[in-house]
Amino acid sequence: MITSKLPNVGITIFTQMSQLAAQTGAINLSQGFPDFEGPQALRDAVGWHIANGHNQYSPMTGLPVLRQQIAAKIARSYGAQVDADNEVTVTPGATQAIFCAIQAVIHSGDEVIVFDPAYDSYEPAVELAGGRCVHVQLGLKDFSIDFEKLTQALSPRTRMIILNTPHNPSGALISRAELDQLAALIRDRDIYVLSDEVYEHLVFDGVPHVSVLAHEELYKRAFVVSSFGKTYHVTGWKTGYVVAPPALTAELRKVHQYVSFCGVTPLQYALADYMAEHPEHVEELPGFYQAKRDLFCDLLAPSRFSFTRVTGTYFQLVDYSQIRPDLNDVEMAMWMTREHGVASIPISVFYQTPPEGQRLVRLCFAKREETLREAAAKLCVI
């Protein structure tokens, strides 16, 4: 008989909704991936490196040339100086980076604070390390940190706090004042910070992304995770990286080398080339996705959904209270997919205890204009 180490884990809602969309022919606005290609020059570079013999193991820590480009981008974006050799590690995806960071420092009996709604990979990684997640609910309206609840959740066993900014699924951003408040709260405690910043360059309306990388006090105890897949529209490449002070990086690499050892070599070469030749890409990304957000929201304006335009990520939450208040969000997502041909993600799956009466689903707008127009037309007749 198998005794499962993750007895409460099944097929994720993302897989379920994508499968249902495929089965029904619905437009898939559920799982967070673009339906358009990444930059042509980036894709061409992969083929060139494969054809020119860059097909063997890369260094465990990532190609030096890519780590140097990452450090240079961090300096440009956040004014922070990090050591490419001792603070940057390339991983096969941000999810693996998160997993390795948790395994590196969480021991049996430790507690990890996560903010609900929370991305679904955090808790299984904590449980596999022998730890326990303590869930703190974000504000119901603006999804901001409730510092009174956070303070109450702290205990002598608290070993890590996981941040996610820009936040999936809400799109909310953490401010510098909130990071300052967090730093003051844990200043005299032995607590690490894991900052999931995979949507770091998807911020809108001229509001800057406030990174833990640029917070000198918090960074001393932090792992900061980023995603090439999100930034360069190539989610299937599953390539990311984690930045942390040397002592934490050393512990993370001990785990990483036995999980995957290294990332995919030609992809790393191609990313390094493209970052060097097109540093403007990350600067143009907010405008690129803001245009998609604005188009989608303008198209949804005549609908019976209510919403506030997100400030980050490529997800838009919509409230369906005026349409089918009799359905919970899982039922609503299934109904929308089967009956109206648009797949979404219910928000309750991101909570340990979903708020009573919340009626929200998440829609991905990282899509071509024609996809957004077709999906909005279907949503407006619901």
Side-chain angles (χ1 to χ4, degrees):
M1 296 294 293
I2 297 173
T3 302
S4 176
K5 297 184 74 174
L6 294 171
N8 300 317
V9 172
I11 299 174
T12 72
I13 190 67
F14 309 103
T15 299
Q16 292 177 51
M17 295 309 301
S18 286
Q19 288 177 346
L20 184 60
Q23 291 166 6
T24 60
I27 298 171
N28 189 359
L29 302 189
S30 59
Q31 201 168 359
F33 61 85
D35 68 347
F36 50 86
E37 295 295 338
Q40 184 67 51
L42 176 60
R43 290 182 283 132
D44 288 345
V46 177
W48 189 92
H49 284 289
I50 290 174
N52 284 270
H54 292 152
N55 301 301
Q56 306 309 324
Y57 294 127
S58 66
M60 179 268 289
T61 57
L63 288 175
V65 65
L66 180 56
R67 287 187 279 108
Q68 290 159 9
Q69 286 298 323
I70 292 168
K73 189 214 70 166
I74 289 169
R76 289 194 305 271
S77 297
Y78 309 121
Q81 303 298 320
V82 299
D83 184 329
D85 291 331
N86 298 307
E87 297 181 68
V88 179
T89 306
V90 178
T91 61
T95 300
Q96 198 246 42
I98 291 166
F99 180 86
C100 290
I102 290 169
Q103 303 306 311
V105 297
I106 298 303
H107 297 261
S108 179
D110 285 346
E111 293 178 353
V112 176
I113 291 178
V114 297
F115 294 103
D116 284 1
Y119 189 62
D120 66 347
S121 80
Y122 303 154
E123 189 153 24
V126 170
E127 291 179 354
L128 288 172
R132 181 177 77 89
C133 279
V134 176
H135 294 258
V136 175
Q137 197 172 108
L138 295 171
L140 289 178
K141 293 185 177 181
D142 62 0
F143 295 93
S144 62
I145 296 173
D146 184 325
F147 278 91
E148 183 176 344
K149 288 182 179 178
L150 174 57
T151 302
Q152 293 171 354
L154 294 174
S155 82
R157 290 186 176 273
T158 305
R159 198 63 57 230
M160 176 181 280
I161 295 173
I162 300 181
L163 304 177
N164 179 203
T165 182
H167 181 253
N168 177 17
S170 75
L173 307 178
I174 292 178
S175 68
R176 174 70 192 209
E178 288 174 305
L179 290 186
D180 289 344
Q181 194 169 352
L182 176 62
L185 182 62
I186 65 175
R187 185 166 294 145
D188 299 320
R189 298 173 181 263
D190 184 19
I191 296 175
Y192 301 104
V193 172
L194 172 55
S195 189
D196 177 355
E197 301 184 16
V198 299
Y199 298 100
E200 62 183 316
H201 298 298
L202 280 65
V203 289
F204 313 130
D205 305 314
V207 179
H209 168 59
V210 178
S211 176
V212 170
L213 290 167
H215 196 286
E216 186 176 352
E217 182 177 358
L218 283 179
Y219 177 65
K220 292 177 181 177
R221 59 173 78 208
F223 301 91
V224 182
V225 174
S226 294
S227 165
F228 290 116
K230 302 296 191 298
T231 299
Y232 295 99
H233 321 308
V234 286
T235 59
W237 288 16
K238 291 300 294 178
T239 304
Y241 60 93
V242 56
V243 185
L248 290 182
T249 290
E251 292 304 310
L252 175 129
R253 288 174 176 176
K254 291 178 184 179
V255 178
H256 161 67
Q257 68 182 339
Y258 293 115
V259 173
S260 65
F261 182 72
C262 66
V264 179
T265 301
L267 300 184
Q268 293 187 55
Y269 273 110
L271 286 162
D273 288 351
Y274 192 79
M275 291 177 76
E277 294 166 8
H278 297 280
E280 75 282 358
H281 177 89
V282 296
E283 298 166 5
E284 296 171 352
L285 206 57
F288 174 81
Y289 272 116
Q290 182 171 332
K292 291 186 177 295
R293 179 204 67 175
D294 289 344
L295 171 65
F296 190 48
C297 288
D298 288 346
L299 292 169
L300 286 181
S303 76
R304 292 195 291 161
F305 292 97
S306 59
F307 55 87
T308 300
R309 297 182 188 222
V310 292
T311 51
T313 76
Y314 47 45
F315 301 114
Q316 177 65 52
L317 294 186
V318 295
D319 189 309
Y320 64 89
S321 298
Q322 302 304 312
I323 302 173
R324 291 295 305 267
D326 57 310
L327 300 181
N328 66 37
D329 60 354
V330 175
E331 294 167 340
M332 182 65 176
M334 298 291 182
W335 179 75
M336 285 171 57
T337 306
R338 292 193 176 102
E339 301 299 325
H340 293 278
V342 179
S344 61
I345 293 291
I347 299 307
S348 63
V349 301
F350 294 88
Y351 286 90
Q352 181 185 50
T353 304
E356 189 70 29
Q358 190 180 68
R359 294 291 183 265
L360 295 172
V361 294
R362 190 195 79 177
L363 301 167
C364 176
F365 56 83
K367 307 297 177 183
R368 293 169 294 150
E369 179 176 336
E370 53 266 39
T371 304
L372 296 176
R373 289 188 180 278
E374 185 181 355
K378 291 176 179 290
L379 294 168
C380 283
V381 299
I382 296 179

